[in-house]
Amino acid sequence: MKYVLVTGGVVSGLGKGVTASSIGLLLKSCGLRVTSIKIDPYLNTDAGTMSPFEHGEVFVLDDGGEVDLDLGNYERFLDIKLTRDNNITTGKIYQSVLEKERKGEYLGKTVQVVPHITDAIQEWIERAAMIPVDENEGPADVCVIELGGTIGDIESMPFIEALGQFSYRVGPGNFCLVHVSLVPVLNVVGEQKTKPTQHSVRGLRGLGLTPNILACRSTKALDDNVKEKLSQFCHVPAENVVTLYDVPNIWHIPLLLRDQKAHEAILKGLNLLGTAMEPDLTEWTARTKIYDMLQDPVKIAMVGKYVELKDSYLSVLKALLHASVHHRKKLVVEWVEASHLEDITAEEDPETSKAAWNHLKGADGILVPGGFGDRGVQGKILAAKYARESNVPFLGICLGMQIAVIEYARSVLGLHNANSAEFDPKTPNPCVIFMPEGSKTHMGGTMRLGSRRTYLKDPDCKSAKLYGDTTFVDERHRHRYEVNPDMIVELEAAGMSFVGRDESGRRMEIVELPSHPFFIGVQFHPEFKSRPGKPSALFSGLIAASCGQLDSLLNKSSHVGKAVGSGMSNGKASYKAHQNGNHSNGLNGSLNGAYMNGNVCPRVFDRELEHKTLEKLDPRRRGFGIEVTVQIVHLGSSVCKDFGSSPYLSNEKCLAVSVCLPFEQLKDLNNTKAIMLAV
């Protein structure tokens, strides 16, 4: 196992998480399997009990882990599925050591920070690094570790000591340190100042760690003389000093690193130069260029209660971005503080209320994300009512679904005192109730968490079509309350349709209004599984509905669902979707196709791609006779060829698909109107 450690200096908020994600993506594009670990020095066991204002959103993993939002960046960039063990906190380390002490596993020794805490940190890193996080068995080739906080923080000292010991233990050629630092430009003199980085590196070296690479954050590219100065005073080769200057969007960061040969410096430090391939970021580059050139706006009103800190809804924002780029629309988010829509704000601050309502009414679509507590709930209910009555596309997530049900019960059923037991425990009409398995005494880790299966009972509903006509989907959850199953009959009789339920049939997962152009509420969080090349099905539906493309999307999704047949497991059939680099596909992405929670949703190509024939393929990517996943572009307008019993090409022009075949059969493709792009 090879390790890349990413640390930060001078100030917080430099973008260590994005840098670590970009390094991982760059290494993955070189044909390596990559996993990630985030170290958070706080004493909390996990991020589950933290306020969004305190630490941004809580990202939820498949196994139910409530983790730092940086793990969301890792999953999105690398298209992997991490576990709760990939997030290390001081609380977890001390808890594990104290449990061992209580069991007598230290044999009467005095338990100390060194060696017991530092040893526990190293053991955790090694154990977590071995966990498979992609679709392949066995450990990854490289583990990218991000150390949270800033060098010099008191709380991170045990981790610094442990990582210093760890680098010595794994030995040269297995450990590479990337230090992210700030090179500010003073407006008075307009000169790039290196002293903060010099002091940061000096402090890092004084703690036993020496950086191999400096990743310098600045407003513009570093001057050559500045690089030379940093190289001289920080003892880092000049070619290993890279600039991470301000860019239009973070998708440029992997390209910046590649253009400055950062991968070569890392691979050299890890003794992998002879085994890794040249980075292939063809799809990533094309997607980034599309993002930069978007002009046609789509406005989405985000009605939340934590809008003062945008990171509180980071995954929701990213999911909206993925969907808008796929539909070739420039995303414009109108932030609406939910409480500003309420009557009390209209009385106390009419201007603020008017501005909030103008933002809401000027949007093409409305999204109400999750949240906890009763502040702003009435404003969210009013937003749902406006969307329902005005036929504005609406997507409610978690609490957003619950308030949509409450609003419908009040407005349509006439139950004016309908409410959630979370906000009014004594309400005579509880539309939302506390889940029986929940805990009212312990907050951390007691919610319904992680990946759960939702069964779609109506094949003609919008959700089923968006997911590719599959019968079930697996999405991530994080909630304590649920829609009251005893009110379902009454609600459905009034026109509300609960099209998605859990395996018992009594827990509501998806609600729709069939009479509305697009009104969907979901109990789960689809944003956590959205990827840059594979937007979430429901977010794609919201954007499509908001820009008048919903009918086209539904027809396309339905067509793909019929093509792939009934052997799906959350959209995964015999035609395998590329996972942003999995299977070493060389294109590091989805060929611009939208992947609806795993379902392949091909789209028409509007640009040329680099064609690679079988003869030109790298032998390391061929599979040597075993089954491999290939990507094919259909260049004809009416050619359809069968392999076995399943047609893999339809009569649409330039359709990208994936199919799994033995390598020997691929030779037959040379005689068809199809071209191998990458294996």
Side-chain angles (χ1 to χ4, degrees), residues 456-466 468-471 499 558:
L456 296 156
K457 68 171 189 174
D458 182 3
D460 294 324
C461 69
K462 293 183 180 68
S463 299
K465 291 181 179 179
L466 287 170
D469 286 339
T470 185
T471 56
V499 299
S558 179

Side-chain angles (χ1 to χ4, degrees), residues 40-45 88-96 159:
D40 285 304
Y42 48 68
L43 279 170
N44 303 64
T45 302
I88 305 175
T89 68
T90 299
K92 285 182 179 179
I93 295 296
Y94 274 79
Q95 188 177 53
S96 67
F159 292 101

Side-chain angles (χ1 to χ4, degrees), residues 234-311:
C234 298
H235 300 181
V236 174
E239 60 270 20
N240 288 12
V241 179
V242 299
T243 312
L244 299 180
Y245 53 83
D246 294 346
V247 290
N249 65 77
I250 62 172
W251 291 357
H252 283 273
I253 303 302
L255 308 180
L256 278 181
L257 292 171
R258 179 202 60 186
D259 294 343
Q260 297 176 75
K261 306 296 184 182
H263 60 286
E264 293 184 1
I266 296 172
L267 294 173
K268 182 179 179 181
L270 299 177
N271 284 338
L272 290 174
L273 269 178
T275 57
M277 295 170 285
E278 281 297 309
D280 189 343
L281 291 169
T282 307
E283 281 298 304
W284 191 271
T285 303
R287 192 180 302 117
T288 303
K289 289 180 179 178
I290 291 171
Y291 182 7
D292 289 341
M293 293 187 296
L294 295 176
Q295 299 293 331
D296 191 14
V298 57
K299 290 185 179 181
I300 302 297
M302 182 90 76
V303 184
K305 55 190 297 183
Y306 314 116
V307 297
E308 292 178 12
L309 182 64
K310 306 301 186 290
D311 276 358

Side-chain angles (χ1 to χ4, degrees), residues 301-305 307 336-338 341 360 366-369 379-380 383:
M302 182 90 76
V303 184
K305 55 190 297 183
V307 297
V336 180
E337 169 63 52
L341 299 174
L360 185 73
I366 297 173
L367 192 152
V368 178
K380 293 187 176 187

